[in-house]
Amino acid sequence: MSTTRRAAVLGSPIAHSLSPVLHRAAYRELGLGDWTYGRHEVDEAALPAFMERLDATWAGLSLTMPLKRAVIPLLDEITPTAASVEAVNTVVLTGDGRRLGDNTDIPGMLAALRERGVERVERASVLGAGATASSALAALARICTGEVTAYVRSDARAAQMRGWGERLGVPVRTAPWEDAAAAFEAPLTVATTPAGTTDALAAAVPARPGTLFDVLYEPWPTALAAAWADRGGAVVGGLDLLVHQAVLQVEQMTGRSPAPLVAMRRAGEAALAAR
């Protein structure tokens, strides 16, 4: 007799999340008809009570903002990858009741870049200094052989990024946002800013750009990504990241590998096209 297994994405706001679309597509391909994946609006204050209500039917959780750090004290163990950026986006609930935290954003970034042929760069640029920027630095620490320049809006953000660089073992130089067009001189630029922030930079894309990794997936393409593609540059988008990190989540939560990357991407593309 089969037992329903449950997983879900938590965050606030959460209504826009594509995670249910991706995970459910994976369950269909894997023949996991008794698995469900939901979406729950949960903020930091409500998280402890939600975690306490989880029973043995639960297999795992995906976490988005603002829960990636708030969940850490509620877990039994986190991986070195999650600890390196103090952020957990994946919780696996084991059969013996343990709660294990991981961060699949970082290996997801690396897999998305690798899919586009980017496995090593001599230097890189990062636009922005938020939580995603720290994950980007953690990924770049594994593939960038030289300096990373972070373009930020304040001295406090600059100090924060330099601190993350020291912690992650990657040399970080900071520069003011006003000079952000210079980021495109690097062979790899990672844009981690909110929607609309980089639109004004689209006109500054050089004639022969390198690779752009824009972590947004809606709206898509961004003005920057469209200009980049028009000039023949390689573009990695937010959906690429979302799918690759979700593949790793599915594998950890279900114990089934490999997760169906192609089916998950197609489901995500279809959902975005329908919006």
Side-chain angles (χ1 to χ4, degrees), residues 218-263:
E218 193 177 22
W220 187 262
T222 63
L224 179 60
W228 203 278
D230 285 345
R231 289 164 176 75
V235 176
V236 184
L239 183 59
D240 298 310
L241 168 59
L242 193 64
V243 170
H244 277 285
Q245 65 83 28
V247 160
L248 297 170
Q249 290 185 336
V250 169
E251 291 175 351
Q252 290 190 31
M253 293 178 192
T254 68
R256 301 281 292 274
S257 182
L261 171 68
V262 173

Side-chain angles (χ1 to χ4, degrees), residues 8-10 14-18 20-21 24 37-41 275:
V9 59
L10 314 182
I14 201 63
H16 69 288
S17 176
L18 278 181
V21 171
R24 290 169 187 168
Y37 190 99
R39 179 194 288 120
H40 296 275
E41 183 82 17
R275 289 184 175 179

